[in-house]
């Protein structure tokens, strides 16, 4: 007997509407939902349709709570009940809280799917620990904060309903990552390109949109801010900015004019690999083709000057008058539901930020997260105090934190670690307690993430979870009761879903019928003032930032900063960056056979001339080495790559256990990265782009070393 159920994909931020087919209670197929009219841009690799049925019934799913049976890291386990697991965790929580203070306990959170992140933040608040660790130091916060300081809100999204004539895709691959931070869907973008919309690509290597671009700038990884200020220089000095808009709706243009006079386009070219002629052409095209949108992605957030880089790109949008314009980018008002902040925090119980291990990063503290490297450093050094316990949900730090070797060392030192997961991973292998997690579709939940999209979606239960797997939110809710925090949680965690919808005057079952609540869009003139900043205008020069001890403008010397110096590239002459797989989502779902058929191993990309110079060729399994370590990935050469760049795959590991805990060292790009200072002074962002590296086929030989340290090949100066 067959039955169909509407669902949303939970793999990437697009959360496409889909239909699941069941036979005798088992999910057998997932396809695009073409009838509902809801957004459904199935990615080319169809990661959701391919993987979701297998995920629900996969034989390697974690099904029961387990406690460590051998030495830490041996990956030996004893099955236990939920009561025993929660009792052990509660006992440890109370012991460390009462003996070392609540700050000795860290909540370690990753990419939200449903309510797990919200419950983790809420638990941290009432436990009174200031140490809630999230990926905010390299994902989402920098772009959102740049919008906030410039436009007064992080809720600035693409106007998809009107016609637009120019698109800049900057540090994003919409096909592999579910779009961009602006919310433009693939179908809308593709339709615009078919009717002749101009496309500008900022990308050191090739993705599937590059060949469609009118300009494709293969800029140096990490140099985005210098390029943005170079474009601003052209737009201002050639009088191409929207003068009436800038005069009426912005402040700070005079200060920016002074700054752009301090550098030349030749200096921009030296920083970016893009010659002045190309910078001028691209700036003119963007400034004069209206309306226009900049679709940016996570690549802009991965440097020691990430916030100011994002500010520089944001200011281009203000100079050209595209924010608030039909066909441009507009301020949205989120759908009516309980704001995440109201769920996370309670004014009666303010977090003791003064005790946080990340207190030196003001934006991180204001955004309720501790940078990941701050946790690693504090565990290892016990400065400013020892961190004793971690509770981890929807995350694998060994794959996703910078400097994986140091991260491993820290978590091996941590006295007690609890990890909730859906599959065994390198991180569960070093835990003390492992909890089996249910995925969306195996329980009712609400999807409110990414928060800057402003919508809320109903994920209804359509299939039972395997074994005794629980939603992460239920785990935290039940644990809260055991440590005396039950008054701040719910008798049944699912009651929180109605709480999330109170402002909409809906129940969760009402939302199931609607499936989604949409935000409102506001154009210039719809409300006054349009920008909810202190001045009521878009603030090119931000006094708020100055009051926080941050630069009020993105200065050229600041956005050009790197943790790496010229001498670092003498031994390691190539610039390493990374890309996200089309078949996978971050480091997850590597067990799924249907997805493995799409991409079976980690592949890195390099120009063939560069490969020849280093003695490697297409198809080789090569070593990539930085000063932190080395990994192997399969080489694919491409003349579309910049000759000085290496683009490596993110998130790779083996799914079969071995002595090395699922071989998290072998192919994992974060073996090569570094989390040590300097970091972005506001957000704690780390340098993940433009990392000095070298490549080779086998162990280096002294004679080859001399050759490889020779002059670099010719630079590609433009598109």
């Amino acid at each position: 007997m067959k039955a169909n159920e509407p669902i949303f994909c939970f793999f990437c931020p697009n959360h496409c509407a889909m239909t699941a087919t069941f036979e005798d209670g088992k999910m057998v197929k997932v396809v695009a939902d073409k009838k509902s009219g809801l957004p459904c841009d199935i990615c080319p690799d169809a990661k959701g349709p391919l993987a979701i049925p297998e995920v629900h019934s996969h034989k390697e799913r974690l099904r029961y709570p387990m406690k460590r049976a051998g030495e830490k890291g041996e990956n030996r386990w004893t099955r236990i009940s939920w009561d025993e697991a929660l009792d052990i965790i509660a006992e440890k929580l109370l012991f460390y809280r009462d003996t070392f203070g609540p700050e000795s306990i860290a909540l370690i959170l990753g990419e939200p799917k449903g309510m797990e992140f919200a419950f983790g933040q809420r638990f941290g608040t009432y436990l009174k620990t200031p140490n809630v660790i999230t990926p905010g130091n390299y994902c989402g916060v920098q772009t959102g904060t740049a919008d906030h300081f410039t436009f007064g809100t992080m809720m600035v999204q693409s106007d998809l309903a009107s016609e637009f004539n120019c698109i800049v895709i900057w540090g994003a691959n919409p096909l592999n990552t579910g779009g961009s931070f602006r919310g433009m869907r693939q179908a809308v973008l593709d339709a615009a390109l078919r009717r002749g919309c101009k496309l500008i690509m900022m990308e050191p290597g090739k993705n599937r949109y590059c060949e469609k671009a009118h300009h494709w700038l293969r800029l140096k990884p990490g140099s985005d801010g210098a390029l943005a200020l170079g474009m601003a220089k052209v737009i201002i000095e050639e009088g191409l900015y929207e003068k009436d808009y800038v005069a009426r709706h912005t402040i700070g243009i005079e200060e920016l004019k002074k700054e752009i006079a301090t550098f030349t386009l030749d200096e921009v070219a030296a920083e970016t690999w893009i010659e002045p002629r190309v910078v001028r052409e691209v700036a003119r095209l963007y400034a004069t083709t209206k309306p226009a949108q900049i679709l940016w992605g996570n690549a802009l957030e991965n440097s020691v000057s990430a916030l100011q880089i994002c500010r520089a790109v944001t200011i281009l949008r203000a100079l050209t008058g595209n924010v608030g314009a039909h066909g441009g980018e507009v301020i949205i008002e989120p759908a009516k539901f309980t704001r995440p902040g109201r769920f996370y925090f309670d004014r009666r119980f303010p977090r003791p930020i003064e005790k946080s291990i990340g207190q030196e990063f003001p934006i991180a503290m204001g955004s309720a997260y501790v940078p990941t490297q701050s946790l690693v450093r504090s565990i290892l050094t016990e400065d400013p105090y020892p961190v004793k316990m971690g509770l981890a949900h929807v995350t694998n730090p060994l794959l996703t934190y910078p400097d994986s070797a140091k991260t491993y060392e820290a978590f091996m030192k941590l006295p007690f670690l609890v990890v909730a997961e859906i599959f065994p991973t390198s991180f569960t292998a070093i835990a003390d307690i492992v909890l089996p997690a249910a995925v969306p579709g195996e329980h009712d939940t609400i999807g409110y993430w990414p928060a800057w999209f402003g919508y809320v979606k109903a994920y209804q239960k359509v299939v039972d979870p395997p074994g005794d797997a629980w939603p992460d939110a239920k785990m935290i809710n039940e644990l809260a009761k055991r440590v005396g925090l039950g008054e701040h949680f719910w008798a049944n965690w699912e009651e929180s879903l109605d709480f999330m919808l109170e402002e909409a005057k809906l129940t969760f079952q009402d939302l199931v019928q609607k499936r989604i609540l949409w935000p409102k869009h506001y154009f210039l003139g719809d409300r006054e003032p349009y920008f909810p900043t202190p001045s009521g205008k878009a603030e090119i020069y931000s006094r708020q930032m100055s009051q926080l001890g941050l630069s009020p403008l993105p200065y050229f010397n600041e956005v050009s900063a790197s943790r790496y110096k010229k001498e670092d590239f003498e031994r390691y002459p190539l610039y390493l960056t990374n890309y996200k797989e089309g078949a996978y989502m971050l480091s997850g779902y590597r067990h799924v056979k249907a997805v493995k058929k799409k991409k079976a191993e980690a592949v890195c990309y390099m120009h063939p001339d560069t490969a020849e110079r280093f003695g490697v060729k297409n198809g080789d399994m090569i070593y990539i080495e930085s000063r932190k370590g080395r990994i192997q990935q399969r080489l694919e050469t491409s003349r579309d790559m910049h000759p000085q760049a290496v683009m490596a795959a993110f998130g790779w590991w083996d799914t079969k256990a071995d002595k090395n805990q699922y071989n998290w060292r072998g192919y994992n790009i974060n073996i090569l990265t570094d989390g040590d200072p300097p970091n972005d002074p506001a957000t704690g962002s780390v340098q993940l782009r433009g990392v000095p590296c070298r490549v080779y086929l086998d162990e280096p030989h002294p004679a080859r070393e001399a050759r490889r340290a020779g002059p670099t090949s010719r630079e590609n100066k433009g598109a």
Side-chain angles (χ1 to χ4, degrees):
M1 184 176 187
K2 288 188 176 181
N4 295 323
E5 292 285 354
I7 64 170
F8 288 111
C9 181
F10 52 83
F11 268 67
C12 83
N14 254 358
H15 304 296
C16 291
M18 299 192 295
T19 300
T21 299
F22 294 81
E23 290 184 1
D24 299 323
K26 180 180 179 180
M27 187 184 295
V28 294
K29 184 173 68 172
V30 168
V31 298
D33 181 352
K34 299 293 187 182
K35 296 181 179 179
S36 66
L38 296 175
C40 182
D41 284 350
I42 298 297
C43 46
D45 286 304
K47 63 185 94 178
L50 279 177
I52 288 175
E54 189 175 339
V55 166
H56 285 304
S57 58
H58 203 289
K59 65 180 181 180
E60 294 185 52
R61 283 283 298 274
L62 294 169
R63 285 169 162 75
Y64 308 100
M66 300 182 296
K67 68 178 179 180
R68 175 165 58 83
E71 294 296 318
K72 193 175 182 72
E74 284 187 354
N75 204 17
R76 293 169 52 205
W77 304 97
T78 298
R79 175 179 165 179
I80 57 177
S81 68
W82 272 106
D83 281 336
E84 183 178 357
L86 294 173
D87 286 344
I88 292 171
I89 299 168
E91 181 181 358
K92 291 289 187 180
L93 277 169
L94 293 172
F95 170 74
Y96 289 125
R97 185 195 67 182
D98 296 342
T99 306
F100 299 96
E103 62 272 15
S104 69
I105 301 164
L107 276 296
I108 306 163
L109 308 176
E111 176 74 19
K113 305 294 186 295
M115 291 294 292
E116 57 284 300
F117 188 94
F119 268 80
Q121 286 279 12
R122 186 179 183 91
F123 188 67
T125 294
Y126 290 113
L127 192 65
K128 299 182 181 179
T129 176
N131 295 324
V132 178
I133 289 79
T134 83
N137 58 312
Y138 32 72
C139 187
V141 170
Q142 294 76 16
T143 52
T145 303
D147 277 353
H148 174 79
F149 283 129
T150 309
F151 301 120
T153 175
M154 67 184 291
M155 301 290 182
V156 185
Q157 290 293 302
S158 295
D159 173 25
L160 305 182
S162 306
E163 188 170 291
F164 43 88
N165 296 313
C166 182
I167 289 292
V168 182
I169 299 180
W170 204 321
N173 184 347
L175 291 169
N176 283 12
T177 58
S180 75
F181 291 156
R182 292 285 158 250
M184 182 175 289
R185 301 190 297 275
Q186 298 168 43
V188 177
L189 175 57
D190 291 343
L193 295 179
R194 286 194 297 270
R195 64 171 170 75
C197 179
K198 304 295 185 184
L199 175 62
I200 300 168
M201 290 294 303
M202 311 297 195
E203 180 67 50
K206 183 178 181 180
N207 67 41
R208 297 174 191 176
Y209 279 112
C210 291
E211 61 192 19
K212 302 177 182 180
H214 297 78
H215 284 279
W216 170 16
L217 277 62
R218 290 180 287 181
L219 72 168
K220 183 174 76 177
S223 67
D224 309 84
L227 178 58
L229 284 184
M231 291 174 63
K233 181 180 179 71
V234 173
I235 291 168
I236 291 173
E237 291 182 348
E238 296 189 3
L240 303 177
Y241 63 95
E242 197 71 26
K243 297 178 183 62
D244 181 64
Y245 181 100
V246 168
R248 294 175 57 197
H249 301 297
T250 76
I251 60 170
I253 183 67
E254 295 305 319
E255 288 88 347
L256 181 59
K257 286 180 178 179
K258 293 176 184 177
E259 173 57 21
I260 58 128
T262 66
F263 61 87
T264 68
L265 289 188
D266 286 334
E267 290 175 292
V268 172
E271 287 292 336
T272 63
W273 299 340
I274 309 300
E275 64 180 15
R277 171 187 60 82
V278 177
V279 177
R280 289 191 184 96
E281 289 175 1
V282 168
R284 291 165 183 163
L285 179 63
Y286 170 67
T288 60
T289 310
K290 302 290 185 68
Q293 300 184 22
I294 295 178
L295 311 181
W296 61 11
N298 178 238
L300 297 178
E301 302 178 313
N302 301 158
S303 84
V304 297
S305 52
L307 177 57
Q308 295 296 358
I309 286 174
C310 293
R311 275 270 288 156
V313 176
T314 291
I315 285 170
L316 291 175
R317 299 148 64 208
L319 289 175
T320 54
N322 279 303
V323 177
H326 288 272
E329 298 152 20
V330 296
I331 292 176
I332 66 171
E333 180 182 292
K336 283 190 176 296
F337 64 100
T338 298
R339 298 272 67 77
R342 183 182 163 205
F343 194 96
Y344 298 172
F345 308 120
D346 188 329
R347 292 180 180 178
R348 300 170 299 167
F349 299 93
R351 289 188 187 171
I353 290 175
E354 69 282 358
K355 293 184 178 181
S356 173
I357 57 179
Q359 62 184 278
E360 67 267 36
F361 303 109
I363 300 303
M365 294 298 93
S367 302
Y369 74 89
V370 169
T372 57
Q373 71 274 11
S374 295
L375 174 65
V376 170
R377 183 199 68 234
S378 293
I379 294 173
L380 291 175
T381 65
E382 301 188 7
D383 180 23
Y385 45 75
V387 178
K388 295 292 188 179
M389 181 177 179
L391 283 80
H393 295 267
V394 289
T395 185
N396 185 345
L398 298 190
L399 274 296
T400 59
Y401 285 16
D403 196 341
S404 293
K406 186 177 285 187
T407 301
Y408 173 78
E409 181 185 355
F411 281 108
M412 285 295 286
K413 179 182 177 182
L414 190 70
F416 197 75
L417 174 64
V418 180
V419 177
E421 257 293 0
I422 60 176
F423 288 107
T425 70
S426 50
F427 200 43
T428 66
I430 63 172
D432 296 281
I433 296 286
V434 174
L435 304 176
V439 299
E442 296 173 351
H443 59 283
D444 288 338
T445 193
I446 282 176
Y448 66 93
W449 199 263
W452 51 85
F453 286 173
Y455 58 57
V456 58
K457 293 181 176 180
Y459 284 82
Q460 62 177 321
K461 180 178 178 178
V462 294
V463 63
D464 289 328
D468 286 340
W470 281 9
D472 295 75
K474 180 178 180 179
M475 302 175 197
I476 298 170
N477 193 73
E478 295 306 305
L479 187 59
K481 298 176 188 177
R482 277 174 161 79
V483 295
L485 302 178
E487 64 179 302
H488 306 298
F489 288 80
W490 289 269
N492 182 329
W493 82 271
E494 290 175 310
E495 296 171 17
S496 69
L497 304 180
D498 287 343
F499 173 77
M500 284 290 285
L501 296 167
E502 278 184 356
E503 292 187 25
K505 298 181 180 179
L506 298 173
T507 66
F508 177 73
Q509 290 306 314
D510 294 331
L511 182 60
V512 167
Q513 299 303 313
K514 293 178 177 290
R515 297 193 67 186
I516 185 168
L517 300 181
W518 291 104
K520 293 180 180 178
H521 292 65
Y522 290 95
F523 296 92
L524 203 64
D526 287 348
R527 62 182 188 182
E528 292 295 338
Y530 182 68
F531 298 108
T533 58
S535 66
K537 298 182 178 183
E539 300 191 348
I540 295 169
Y541 184 96
S542 172
R543 291 184 176 83
Q544 283 183 301
M545 295 185 74
S546 184
Q547 291 165 0
L548 289 170
L550 306 173
S551 300
L553 274 177
Y555 297 114
F556 187 77
N557 63 350
E558 191 170 2
V559 300
S560 302
S562 169
R563 69 161 292 118
Y564 301 109
K565 307 304 179 186
K566 183 178 180 180
E567 53 268 26
D568 294 323
F569 290 93
E570 293 174 359
R571 180 173 173 80
Y572 300 102
L574 299 175
Y575 289 74
L576 177 70
T577 188
N578 71 76
Y579 71 97
K580 306 303 188 293
E581 296 281 355
Y584 299 97
M585 178 61 184
L586 303 175
S587 66
Y589 309 104
R590 307 282 163 158
H591 293 78
V592 179
K593 291 181 180 178
V595 177
K596 280 186 176 181
K597 291 178 181 178
K598 290 280 186 178
K599 185 63 72 73
E601 61 182 351
V603 174
C604 65
Y605 295 91
M606 195 188 319
H607 194 281
D609 292 350
T610 310
E612 182 180 5
R613 173 185 155 210
F614 283 88
V616 297
K617 64 181 185 302
N618 187 65
D620 284 344
M621 180 63 83
I622 66 169
Y623 287 103
I624 310 171
E625 181 184 303
S626 76
R627 73 178 188 88
K628 299 297 295 185
R630 70 175 189 173
I631 63 172
Q632 284 187 294
Q633 294 196 1
R634 185 73 64 188
L635 174 62
E636 185 171 319
T637 57
S638 170
R639 293 198 173 275
D640 296 314
M641 283 293 300
H642 191 285
Q644 286 185 265
V646 178
M647 184 175 288
F650 176 89
W652 276 90
W653 53 289
D654 287 337
T655 56
K656 299 299 181 184
D658 60 15
K659 293 180 181 179
N660 206 24
Q661 292 101 26
Y662 302 94
N663 195 19
W664 57 269
R665 301 176 191 266
Y667 322 106
N668 169 17
I669 193 172
N670 276 316
I671 290 290
L672 310 177
T673 58
D674 196 336
D676 290 341
N679 308 126
D680 182 274
T683 67
S685 182
V686 297
Q687 188 90 33
L688 301 178
R689 313 278 173 170
V691 176
C693 75
R694 60 179 179 171
V695 300
Y696 48 88
L697 184 62
D698 51 15
E699 291 291 347
H701 183 276
R704 278 200 302 274
E705 288 291 283
R707 288 200 304 273
R708 287 168 180 162
T712 59
S713 62
R714 62 181 174 82
E715 294 184 1
N716 181 311
K717 290 293 186 180

